[in-house]
DNA sequence: GCTTGTACTTGAAACGCATCAAAGGGGCCG
DNA sequence: CGGCCCCTTTGATGCGTTTCAAGTACAAGC
């Protein structure tokens, strides 16, 4: 348990303190034999550099922090995955903290990361775009993900309003007359989706629209509850199109409808939002509008790198990814055999998942539409 | 960008350095008015304690590190969730690193965490139970998750072999004659599952068993490929029971079979392992054996706390969670209406998800069995 | 008025390392 | 043999905290 430090290594190897430090940080400065000797001593003694001391002495280390609202949300994971790969590409570590849907905790981890001399920090904020004002003048580069903010600062956001519009257009293209939107718009992102839906539908006053709150957490169980409620309505009050503000909600709705003997998509069509892996890699794929989470994470790191390399004080810089209205209406317009469309896409997505994804908001035509 | 440090706060507030430090760490030692003054100064200046310096000066901070092999694996997320909640309960932070299926990276992050003066570190190791020998004599408490290791040290493991046995018994109870196990047993956990299946089947030499490698990553696409291959076999060579070593694999298999016109569970029954949320919160639930991931994470933190509080050098200590053979055979024996069984369970799981889960390996009777 | 005690506050020392100016040691050229 | 230059190694300095022994101020008790 006795911690061995750099001076122990130095003494044991018969060199000086600074030489060992160089072996760690600037190996090219050392004579190969010295380096070898030191490395051997290090592993013999089981020396482990004290990161705190390194950071304190040397300024920022090459690592980024990422604060996510929740880990069991597929979209956040895509962000994490994109950020991870991009960070590694630049030789940076990525540490992830789970704010667990708690703004206090979010703030806590944010401060923690800023105080840890991370090279940069990213957040996928939960609710408010006016994040703690103090955060903007932080000593560490920070990038906000998946949120559009008016304050100066860096952010990468998917166009959530566009996603709502896309879904609505899809519904229109499918000839919907009565749309039910399921979910609580507790987060800005969801609010924007609802807004997009309303805007798109403003041009179609004949289409009836209804928004049903599904409870605080937007869980599959919540979706199931709403689905069951819809199923019990008389046929003429029943919608012909249901939009889950979240894929999890949507799949809950599907489960309930099917259980209650309502045919999907025969009697009711269902679509979700999120591009949650469960939507397309589950046994039966669900149609969903997919914001490019992977790409958001990647761009976030890129913005961080940019700030680091320029060393310039943060200018206002926004990146907006994915506005694939064209792609989508194109797809929706074509009346392709569903089978053909879905599976290849599923396979492609599954196999390229680890490498990279496109910029575009993609749509996965599933079995329930 | 100019970093404000503790001495700035002290000067500005007209007190000494140590007093500010006390305000941060031992507020009870200060006169209320002094405390108030300092706190105001802190927020006015936007002071943010430098964690590196704190850790260096004060020893370990109250935070744990968790290294996971992959973030998009539901089971790992359950671990993370359990660990998170338990850690917060004790007032500890939890930082998560994604090893991205790369042992180099796993080792890297492990060392990183150990060097950061974390109070403790947990890993869900990828392959070998003989983890880096140096790791055992580390200066920081460490707990291995979801792996059974012979080396001295702390670990919390689900009984993977029992899971295999459970699945096999399920197959037997369903009258299977020909079982196909899909997946590459690249990880110890999967190997043990296969072992369990074989052991259980050793008593039934009449049942034919086949293990099919699905490629390195065990993706849904891999499962789809195997499923398609199975579908194309002549009926008499086709299995009547398929086990996915992973839920993702299993759902890929189901997709393929259904696409190719094979009835599930009519002609082929399919089950998975993992308790991956996609298995039970997807539109159509999949039968799966669920190792208690949440509980493993929780127990892991508890073991960490134990080591910290005892300050004793790590004794050998193993915790083994979940051997729910009884629960499962009980369920399997009953011939309940599937609908009734599945949905309430689904709902219950969904709603208690955030709070706590049982110790037991649970089984979710889905639509494909 | 002096002592003892109480309640805060102070500031120097140490935490383990990276940095960097300076020193050391060759080799090469004149 | 001396002077130069280059390559390698040295070790003192400081990073921003926490800690803790020592100090201050003030009140109560004698």
């Amino acid at each position: 348990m006795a911690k061995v430090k750099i001076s122990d290594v130095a003494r044991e190897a018969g060199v000086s303190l600074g030489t060992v430090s160089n072996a760690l940080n600037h190996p090219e400065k050392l004579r190969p034999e010295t380096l070898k000797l030191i490395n051997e001593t290090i592993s013999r003694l089981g020396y482990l550099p004290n990161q705190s001391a390194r950071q304190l002495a040397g300024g920022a280390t090459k690592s980024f922090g990422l604060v996510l609202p929740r880990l069991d949300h597929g979209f956040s994971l895509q962000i994490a995955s994109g950020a991870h790969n991009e960070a590694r590409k630049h030789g940076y570590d990525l540490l992830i903290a789970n704010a667990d849907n708690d703004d206090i905790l979010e703030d806590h981890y944010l401060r923690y990361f800023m105080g840890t001399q991370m090279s940069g920090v990213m957040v996928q904020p939960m609710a408010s775009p006016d994040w703690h004002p103090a955060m903007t003048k932080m000593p560490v580069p920070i990038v906000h993900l998946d949120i559009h903010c008016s304050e100066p600062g860096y952010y990468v956001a998917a166009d959530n309003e566009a996603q709502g519009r896309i879904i609505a257009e899809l519904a229109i293209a499918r000839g919907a007359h009565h749309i039910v939107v399921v979910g609580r718009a507790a987060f800005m992102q969801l609010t924007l989706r609802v807004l997009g839906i309303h805007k798109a539908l403003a041009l179609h006053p004949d289409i009836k629209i209804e928004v049903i709150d599904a409870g605080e957490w937007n869980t599959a169980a919540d979706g199931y509850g709403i689905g069951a409620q819809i199923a019990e309505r008389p046929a003429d009050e029943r919608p012909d199109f249901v939009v889950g503000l979240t894929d999890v909600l949507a799949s809950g709705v599907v489960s309930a409808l099917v259980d209650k003997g309502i045919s999907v998509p025969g009697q009711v069509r269902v679509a979700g939002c999120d591009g949650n892996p469960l939507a397309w890699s589950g046994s039966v794929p669900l149609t969903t509008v997919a914001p490019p989470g992977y790409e958001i994470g990647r761009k976030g790191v890129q913005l961080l790198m940019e700030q680091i390399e320029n060393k310039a004080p943060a200018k206002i810089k926004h990146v907006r990814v994915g506005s694939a209205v064209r792609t989508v209406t194109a797809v929706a317009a074509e009346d392709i055999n569903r089978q053909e469309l879905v599976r290849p896409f599923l396979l492609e997505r599954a196999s390229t998942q680890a490498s990279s994804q496109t910029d575009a908001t993609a749509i996965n035509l599933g079995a329930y539409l």
Side-chain angles (χ1 to χ4, degrees), chain A:
Chain A
M1 282 306 242
K3 318 202 180 181
V4 23
K5 39 193 169 186
I6 210 171
S7 59
D8 298 324
V9 176
R11 181 167 19 78
E12 196 74 15
V15 296
S16 94
L17 221 135
T19 306
V20 179
S21 175
N22 276 334
L24 260 40
N25 305 296
H26 309 282
E28 75 285 357
K29 287 189 176 177
L30 261 41
R31 218 182 343 161
E33 50 212 86
T34 315
L35 183 57
K36 184 155 166 273
L37 169 65
I38 293 179
N39 280 335
E40 278 167 359
T41 314
I42 285 180
S43 54
R44 181 157 57 80
L45 264 47
Y47 165 71
L48 217 51
N50 180 320
Q51 302 295 344
S52 307
R54 305 186 80 160
Q55 293 178 16
L56 182 55
T61 48
K62 296 182 77 174
S63 47
F64 294 133
L66 171 60
V67 181
L68 295 175
R70 198 93 181 127
L71 285 184
D72 53 10
H73 195 185
F75 180 59
S76 295
L77 291 185
Q78 288 179 25
I79 291 181
S81 172
H84 174 88
N85 287 349
E86 186 72 13
R88 294 305 308 170
K89 197 158 78 187
H90 295 279
Y92 280 68
D93 291 336
L94 180 71
L95 262 24
I96 299 169
N98 172 14
D100 204 26
N101 271 341
D102 177 350
D103 19 1
I104 310 275
L105 210 49
E106 178 178 88
D107 191 70
H108 171 81
Y109 278 123
L110 223 36
R111 288 169 188 279
Y112 180 91
F113 277 145
M114 318 231 68
T116 321
Q117 309 306 95
M118 293 267 164
S119 313
V121 179
M122 294 174 293
V123 218
Q124 184 192 358
M126 304 196 335
S128 160
D130 349 305
W131 63 88
H132 198 296
M135 286 299 145
T136 22
K137 49 167 184 171
M138 283 293 90
V140 176
I142 182 169
V143 168
H144 291 255
L145 304 179
D146 189 36
I147 200 160
H148 180 103
C149 20
S150 47
E151 303 279 325
Y154 285 75
Y155 73 75
V156 184
D159 190 340
N160 280 280
E161 196 181 314
Q163 289 166 42
R165 211 180 319 122
I166 288 168
I167 281 278
E169 283 166 1
L170 207 50
I172 295 166
R174 286 283 188 255
H177 291 103
H178 179 180
I179 300 177
V180 164
V181 178
V182 178
R184 173 176 298 184
F187 304 144
M188 182 55 68
Q189 293 87 334
L190 301 193
T191 309
L192 287 172
R193 287 178 192 169
V194 176
L195 181 63
I197 293 174
H198 275 121
K199 279 194 180 170
L201 254 36
L203 306 171
H204 298 262
D206 48 313
I207 299 180
K208 182 175 172 195
I209 179 163
E210 210 179 327
V211 179
I212 303 183
D213 187 321
E216 188 175 5
W217 299 112
N218 291 329
T219 65
D222 294 331
Y224 191 89
I226 303 291
Q229 177 196 315
I230 288 175
E232 278 158 15
R233 296 186 183 183
D236 59 333
E237 293 178 20
R238 203 182 295 146
D240 51 3
F241 201 105
V242 175
V243 177
L245 282 185
T246 276
D247 283 339
V248 172
L249 280 171
S251 72
V253 170
V254 172
S255 300
L257 291 177
V258 170
D259 281 2
K260 303 293 180 190
I262 306 273
S263 146
V264 182
Q267 295 170 270
V268 181
R269 300 175 191 275
V270 179
C273 290
D274 265 358
N276 192 324
L278 86 79
W280 48 269
S281 82
S283 307
V284 184
L286 171 77
T287 299
T288 178
V289 175
Y294 186 92
E295 198 57 25
I296 289 178
R298 235 164 62 78
K299 287 252 159 83
V301 169
Q302 286 169 3
L303 282 190
L304 245 24
M305 291 303 303
E306 211 172 278
Q307 291 181 67
I308 290 171
E309 283 164 3
N310 287 351
K311 299 264 182 186
K315 297 159 299 186
I316 303 178
K317 176 117 185 196
H318 302 163
V319 172
R320 212 186 206 166
V321 258
S323 67
V325 182
R326 190 188 300 156
T327 305
V328 168
T329 46
V331 169
E334 289 167 343
D335 220 356
I336 308 178
N337 174 309
R338 200 193 309 134
Q339 212 73 307
E340 274 179 356
L341 185 60
V342 175
R343 295 307 175 192
F345 183 68
L346 164 63
L347 294 177
E348 184 197 348
R349 276 296 272 272
S351 58
T352 61
Q353 177 189 3
S355 53
S356 89
Q357 291 183 356
T358 76
D359 247 328
T361 296
I363 205 160
N364 175 9
L365 275 197
Y368 305 119
L369 204 67

